[in-house]
Structures are given as structure tokens and as C-alpha cells.
Amino acid sequence: MRLKFGMIGGGNGAFIGDVHRHGAVMDDLAQLVSGCFSRNMGKNRETAEKWGISDFDRVYSSYQEMAEKESAREDGIDFVSIATPNDTHYPIAKCFLEHGIHVMCDKPLALHADEGEKLAALAREKNLLFGMTYTYTGYAMVKQARQMIEAGEIGNILTVVAEYPQEWLLVQMVSDRSDQATWRMDPERSGPSGCCADIGTHVECLIKKMTGLSVEKVLANFEKLPKDQELPLENNVQILVKFDHGISGMIWTSQVAIGHETDLLIRIFGDKGAIEWQHKEPAVLRVTRINEPPRIYTPTRDYDTQECRGLSRLPSGHPEGFFEAFGNIYRGFCAELLKEKYGVDCGEYDYPTVEDGVHGLRFIDACIESNAKGNIWVDV
């Protein structure tokens, strides 16, 4: 049995919309049947036809029309995927929740923490699932790391160091390809934070899912580089972090780091060992126990945990990547929804939820406050 889903946004060749679509259908647990992919109805229908939607009555001119009509159909969608710019996430998600439709949303959850908290409360009130696509939490070796840490493989965590450098903003500024840069650097559309909200929240959620630690305090420094450009939002961020249990950490994120494309890296140091994972080699987990040589773990091997093996679709040695990580998030969401609505058991896999989205927004707000008040410690 497959779930029926619709999508808001993602048309006109948008990168993230196609990633959502691939992720949702990857394990044959869901089928795209409706959508409002673009404000332009002609392009809206072009996307629908390209993606296999033959019933143009289910291609809508607005998300409000889609929520109203799909919720009234006997064969209406089971959930909606939101793949639009940041400023629209809150009203769209709120509308579908109010119509009793489950939600999968691109991050961030909203522009402000109070909006996120309202969405979380509404989802609880309506007893609806609400997933978030914090992509990097979906990799198999991230799950392996979490379970090794929980099993005490590296002992008690001492400190966590993570970085996510990118060069895309500077590249777009010199290459006249500024579509993304235009809206991502616009506070009206992107919110009060740039780099921290865009990729800093990815790092925060990855640390939480990989270690189980929650950020309690931050000391943040925002920079707008180059300084002669008078940019509206920060693009380079350094953050000192205090997690629960008194554990320290550091996070650096940048969109002006020339020579780095999507170089997310996390190092977790314990009193008996260390674990390292990087997005450039997502199928590799580097584990070093104290006074021993490093060991390399890869997916679908007998030494991996059962949960880790369950997140890989190919035999060992065959690389899986970004689409599969998205697919793993959707797998967890769809499996829970199939079990809840139709009693179908497709296994159990975790995924980021609306509560993770709320914590991400509180993290952003605390970093903004810390920077604004002269780089002081602020509670999350």
C-alpha cells in the first residue's frame, strides 16, 4: 500500500523540490498525486505532467485551494511536502494542519520560534505527524555513530567540534548566478538570520541526532563578508556551545569559504575514543579508540548495527548519497504514517520532527541575541 501525497513549491526546475520527490517515492511507500508547484499555472501544469500527475484537477493555483479540496476528497492526500522559501513555511504548514493533513516540511520550520511552537502545538492538538528534512541526519553512518555512542564505544563525551563551510555565495556574486543568493540574503524571505539559519541549524540538528546532546547555551559571532559589500545578513558564523551534561562544543559555518562546496564535518571526542563523519565521504565513519589505530566503518557490513543496515539500499562498496539520505527521512515518516492510518507495518525508522524544528529556531534566536549583545552567553 502506498500513501498519497502532494507538494507545495519545488517546480520550475527547483533543486530541492525534485529531491523531496525522489526521497518520498524512493521506497515505493508514497505516490505524488497533487500539487501547487508554481504560482504560474502554466509552469505548474508542466511540472505536474513531468512528474506523472495526469489528473490536472489536482493541480492547484494556491496552497489554500489545495488544502481545502484535498481534505474534502475521499481519496485526498495523506500528507503534503513543503518545498518553498523560508518565509512561506509557517502559513502553508498551518493551513494543511488545520485541514487535518500530515506535513513534511523543508527546514527551517518557520522564521521565528513562536511560529514554530504554534505549529508544534497544532500538530499535537490534531494528532498529526510533522516531519522535517534535516537532510544529513538521514545517512546510515550517522545512525551507526549514534548507536555506537549510546553503547559507550567512545566513553563519556568530552567535546564536540563541527563545521560546515561553503563557497556558493561568493561564487554566485562573481558569476552572475544569483537566484538563490537573492532570496537567501533577503531578510523578508529568509528571516533575521542568513548563514546560521540556513546551515547552522543543519549542524545543530546533526549533533543532536548523532550524540543525543541538546544545545543549552550559545556564544555566537556573526560576520558579513566581504565587509565592503554591505550585506543584509551574516554569511560567516562562529559559535561556542554548551550542551546538556556540561559538555562543550564549537560550530563554524560559512558561505564564503572558497574551495569548499558542501564540506560538513563533525568530530565527537570521548574519554575512551572519538568518532568522525564528513559529508564528502558519507559512507565512511572513522572511529578511534584510545591508544589504538583508527578503524573505518562502512554501510551494510555485518559489524554495523541492524538499524544502520536497514537504512542502506545497496550492497557494501556501492556509494549512496544525498537522495538516499532524504529517502531515509521520508521512509521513517511514511512508515509511521502507514502504520498509524492503515495498520501497515513497514518497520520503524526515526526522522526529525517538528520538535527538532522548534529547537532549531530557538537555537537561531539565541545566536542572533548573543551576537547582537556583543557575543555573550545566551540560553537556548
Side-chain angles (χ1 to χ4, degrees), residues 265-277:
L265 169 64
I266 180 170
R267 298 182 179 97
I268 304 152
F269 299 96
D271 57 10
K272 294 182 180 178
I275 285 179
E276 180 178 315
W277 179 85

Side-chain angles (χ1 to χ4, degrees), residues 1-113:
M1 184 175 188
R2 288 187 291 179
L3 297 165
K4 300 178 291 296
F5 81 102
M7 185 181 294
I8 304 297
N12 301 332
F15 161 69
I16 203 63
D18 208 28
V19 176
H20 273 274
R21 181 178 68 92
H22 277 90
V25 305
M26 185 171 291
D27 295 301
D28 207 26
L29 300 180
Q31 178 184 6
L32 182 64
V33 299
S34 73
C36 174
F37 309 105
S38 169
R39 293 185 178 93
N40 181 304
M41 201 57 188
K43 293 180 178 179
N44 198 2
R45 290 192 172 191
E46 284 178 16
T47 300
E49 186 173 12
K50 179 181 178 182
W51 287 353
I53 298 175
S54 56
D55 184 356
F56 280 174
D57 287 341
R58 301 184 78 170
V59 182
Y60 302 97
S61 60
S62 70
Y63 71 84
Q64 296 95 332
E65 179 192 15
M66 180 173 160
E68 182 177 343
K69 291 186 175 179
E70 286 294 324
S71 64
R73 295 177 63 116
E74 287 188 9
D75 64 344
I77 57 174
D78 295 293
F79 72 92
V80 65
S81 294
I82 301 172
T84 56
N86 300 358
D87 59 316
T88 63
H89 291 180
Y90 173 72
I92 295 172
K94 181 174 181 286
C95 181
F96 279 91
L97 290 173
E98 289 173 339
H99 283 82
I101 296 172
H102 304 268
V103 173
M104 176 65 84
C105 186
D106 208 47
K107 47 70 54 190
L109 175 60
L111 294 188
H112 306 285

